[in-house]
Amino acid sequence: MKTLSETLGIKVQHKTFLTASWPAPANVKTLITTRNGGVSEKPFHSLNVGTHVGDNPEYVARNREIVQSQIDLPVAYLNQIHSDIVVNATDALLTLTDADASVDTTGQAACASMTADCLPVLFCDKAGTVVAAAHAGWRGLAGGVLQNTVRAMQVEPLEIMAYLGPAIGPEAFEVGQEVFDAFTAQISSVDSAFEAIGGGKYLADMYALAQMVLQREGVTMIYGGRHCTVLERDSFFSYRRDGQTGRMASVIWLDNDA
């Protein structure tokens, strides 16, 4: 019997790490973790990097070490609160910071977004002088976290590339009227990202919403947006699917030695 992923034509990956598929400069490096390759036990199995989900702290610390072994710079994890706050990644290394995006121009810290259905967005400029990572659930998307990240990069939007990492896909993201209203109040053409399914409910395409937000900011080089964390259960954590679960990390950094 075929799995749901196979029925829908989704290729199941059992890799530990993925990378962004985009034409970024050679000195821009990325790493996207899956749920595989770590030490955590159910329901966090196995590469959970979230310290706030109820997992054994020793397991999380070991999982972060596994991730860190793949990255040349210290990773700046944030205390994500579904806000529009953007900070410097180097500052976030010093203390756990309430924010949902970080930016770096120094090549001294890696920017990270933790997710388990929300949308991680990785950014760089064509010249390879600045990188950023944003955590964007629907509240963050509606609240301006991507706009603020673009502005914090302090380069022309037409010079910016954005990569949309693994998130809940349009077949699985059922939302209520409040989500529809939050976006239609800002973007007139946003209806195309929602499919009404009755009872004041919609299927929302978070990838399409992010593209609309970024394009309004002048960012036209947008990549990714091809996964579904809910349906690809062998590869990704999903809060919507499982409730108590782990978190992946999408990480980007500048390699000044490249």
Side-chain angles (χ1 to χ4, degrees):
M1 180 181 294
K2 288 185 176 182
T3 66
L4 180 59
S5 296
E6 291 169 335
T7 301
L8 293 172
I10 296 172
K11 183 179 180 181
V12 176
Q13 302 182 59
H14 296 282
K15 298 178 181 179
T16 300
F17 303 116
L18 308 175
T19 56
S21 178
W22 61 344
N27 68 318
V28 173
K29 307 298 183 181
T30 64
L31 186 80
I32 299 169
T33 70
T34 66
R35 71 178 303 157
N36 303 310
V39 301
S40 291
E41 299 175 351
K42 292 183 179 180
F44 310 105
H45 62 298
S46 62
L47 191 60
N48 166 47
V49 299
T51 60
H52 62 294
V53 297
D55 195 2
N56 184 320
E58 293 182 3
Y59 295 161
V60 179
R62 176 57 185 145
N63 288 337
R64 289 192 175 190
E65 288 175 358
I66 292 170
V67 175
Q68 187 65 71
S69 71
Q70 304 296 309
I71 300 169
D72 295 330
L73 301 176
V75 178
Y77 292 101
L78 305 173
N79 183 40
Q80 298 171 175
I81 55 174
H82 296 276
S83 69
D84 64 354
I85 300 171
V86 185
V87 297
N88 289 321
T90 51
D91 294 337
L93 290 175
L94 303 175
T95 183
L96 185 61
T97 304
D98 290 348
D100 284 270
S102 63
V103 61
D104 183 64
T105 60
T106 68
Q108 297 179 10
C111 304
S113 170
M114 287 188 297
T115 57
D117 286 336
C118 290
L119 175 64
V121 184
L122 302 179
F123 297 88
C124 72
D125 68 325
K126 289 196 296 184
T129 66
V130 58
V131 293
H135 162 252
W138 77 261
R139 290 180 178 84
L141 276 175
V145 69
L146 297 189
Q147 296 95 314
N148 286 356
T149 304
V150 169
R151 293 162 192 163
M153 293 175 71
Q154 296 186 1
V155 294
E156 288 296 322
L158 285 174
E159 297 295 309
I160 292 175
M161 300 179 184
Y163 183 84
L164 310 182
I168 187 170
E171 299 90 353
F173 192 27
E174 181 179 318
V175 300
Q177 190 67 43
E178 74 281 4
V179 178
F180 180 84
D181 292 343
F183 285 99
T184 54
Q186 301 179 47
I187 307 174
S188 59
S189 60
V190 79
D191 295 35
S192 61
F194 291 89
E195 177 186 347
I197 56 176
K201 300 291 185 180
Y202 301 84
L203 289 176
D205 187 340
M206 191 143 59
Y207 290 130
L209 290 169
Q211 290 173 350
M212 292 176 185
V213 169
L214 290 169
Q215 287 168 350
R216 286 187 69 194
E217 292 301 302
V219 177
T220 60
M221 294 181 289
I222 305 171
Y223 307 89
R226 298 183 180 277
H227 288 287
C228 178
T229 48
V230 174
L231 299 181
E232 295 176 69
R233 65 172 58 244
D234 294 321
S235 293
F236 303 117
F237 295 116
S238 169
Y239 181 81
R240 177 68 66 101
R241 182 189 64 228
D242 299 326
Q244 191 173 30
T245 192
R247 297 294 185 272
M248 290 92 62
S250 295
V251 188
I252 188 167
W253 67 100
L254 292 170
D255 181 359
N256 289 337
D257 296 326

